[in-house]
Amino acid sequence: MGPSSDTDRTFLREAIELARAGAAAGAGGPFGALIVIEGRIMGRGQNRVTSTNDPTAHAEVVAIREACASLGRFHLTGATLYTSCEPCPMCLAAAYWAHVARIVYACTRDDAAAIGFDDAFLYRELSASAAERRIPQLPLLREDGVAVFREWAGNPSRIGY
Amino acid sequence: MGPSSDTDRTFLREAIELARAGAAAGAGGPFGALIVIEGRIMGRGQNRVTSTNDPTAHAEVVAIREACASLGRFHLTGATLYTSCEPCPMCLAAAYWAHVARIVYACTRDDAAAIGFDDAFLYRELSASAAERRIPQLPLLREDGVAVFREWAGNPSRIGY
């Protein structure tokens, strides 16, 4: 990924400023993010969980969705995700699904935990076995589900991602 | 969580049918999900990644967002998430953020991997150390970020989640 640059600092400062402004305006938690491709900002996000009643509206998810919408595609190849805090597992996985190339962040998951957010706890839960997790997960009707997967795999017009 | 019940089978079959119908209609991958609270369906989701250019539009995220929007709140306390496939890390973390009580699923992450989806790979990535991950993550400007967190922590009108 190469060393950090003045460009990285400039974009990351903007993500941090989005965090500050969003929290001050009551949009949600103090988190901001940018998607940058070839030096251009393609998406901006502020946390909007509490103001829009959407627990998935983390800054990174909002920025990824905005960038994809404006580009008209579901991959962000070559993008850098700048975020005011290390992404939680939801946002990190979203970055993988979006094919983001690199991530630059300011606060850590432990900094987030220190002000009451569950990021560090979630990393431990995701790494635990299903049996050890706080949310119980029950497998059922696997064959019925796999039958749908087989149909998909046999459909020549499917679009993968 | 108690054993599986006929009620669980009924709702899970509906999630699987959403998966089949969504894939057949070209909405996206073969995945469907329901949010059920006290026996009532509060949210339905089909994967819409490719049709809406939104890499976060997995069935579970769509169902969680719909349920929260219709209930006007950002937690789904007491909810069961029925999903045609074991949630990927993004969707599992979204279920935690939404305070879902339990998850019932049909296909496994390995079934998903077998038809070309990255679920199993993503679980390995999330459990790896940052240095070992395929997407590089660069920490920078931590003190600038933490200053925003301190402002948040000192704001008596903040709304946590």
Side-chain angles (χ1 to χ4, degrees):
Chain A
M1 69 188 304
S4 62
S5 65
D6 286 347
T7 305
D8 282 334
R9 287 186 180 79
T10 300
F11 285 127
L12 187 56
R13 284 201 185 94
E14 183 159 341
I16 293 169
E17 179 50 33
L18 282 171
R20 184 193 312 272
F31 305 99
L34 292 181
I35 291 289
V36 174
I37 300 177
E38 295 178 0
R40 289 187 56 202
I41 297 173
M42 300 309 302
R44 288 178 172 81
Q46 292 173 311
N47 183 291
R48 298 183 197 153
V49 169
T50 54
S51 62
T52 64
N53 289 317
D54 181 356
T56 73
H58 287 198
E60 298 94 323
V61 166
V62 173
I64 287 169
R65 298 181 79 217
E66 182 176 294
C68 287
S70 77
L71 289 163
R73 52 182 216 239
F74 50 82
H75 286 162
L76 298 172
T77 310
T80 298
L81 169 61
Y82 294 93
T83 172
S84 66
C85 184
E86 183 184 0
C88 83
M90 177 178 75
C91 295
L92 180 57
Y96 274 92
W97 286 117
H99 292 205
V100 159
R102 60 196 285 270
I103 297 169
V104 182
Y105 66 91
C107 300
T108 67
R109 66 181 76 173
D110 294 317
D111 295 331
I115 60 162
F117 293 95
D118 284 342
D119 300 51
F121 162 74
L122 274 185
Y123 272 101
R124 291 193 298 273
E125 286 284 293
L126 271 279
S127 298
S129 70
E132 297 168 313
R133 290 193 188 123
R134 191 175 297 177
I135 300 183
Q137 292 181 253
L138 175 69
L140 198 67
L141 300 178
R142 181 175 168 203
E143 278 310 307
D144 297 36
V146 169
V148 174
F149 278 9
R150 282 200 204 98
E151 275 179 44
W152 161 267
N155 176 358
S157 66
R158 71 185 182 279
I159 303 174
Y161 59 83
Chain B
M1 70 186 302
S4 62
S5 65
D6 285 348
T7 305
D8 282 334
R9 286 185 181 79
T10 300
F11 285 128
L12 187 57
R13 283 202 185 93
E14 183 159 341
I16 293 168
E17 180 50 33
L18 282 171
R20 183 193 314 271
F31 304 98
L34 292 182
I35 291 289
V36 174
I37 301 178
E38 296 179 359
R40 290 187 56 203
I41 298 173
M42 300 309 302
R44 287 178 174 81
Q46 292 173 311
N47 183 292
R48 298 182 197 152
V49 168
T50 55
S51 62
T52 65
N53 288 317
D54 180 358
T56 73
H58 287 198
E60 298 94 324
V61 166
V62 173
I64 288 168
R65 298 180 80 217
E66 181 176 294
C68 286
S70 76
L71 290 164
R73 52 182 216 239
F74 49 82
H75 286 161
L76 297 172
T77 311
T80 298
L81 168 62
Y82 294 93
T83 172
S84 67
C85 184
E86 182 184 359
C88 83
M90 178 179 74
C91 295
L92 180 56
Y96 274 92
W97 286 118
H99 291 206
V100 159
R102 61 197 284 269
I103 297 170
V104 182
Y105 67 92
C107 299
T108 68
R109 67 181 76 173
D110 294 317
D111 295 329
I115 60 161
F117 293 95
D118 284 340
D119 300 51
F121 163 74
L122 274 186
Y123 272 101
R124 291 192 299 274
E125 285 285 292
L126 271 279
S127 298
S129 71
E132 296 169 314
R133 291 194 188 123
R134 191 175 297 177
I135 301 183
Q137 293 180 251
L138 175 68
L140 199 65
L141 300 179
R142 181 175 168 204
E143 278 310 307
D144 296 36
V146 168
V148 174
F149 278 9
R150 282 201 203 99
E151 276 180 42
W152 161 268
N155 177 357
S157 65
R158 71 185 182 277
I159 302 174
Y161 58 83

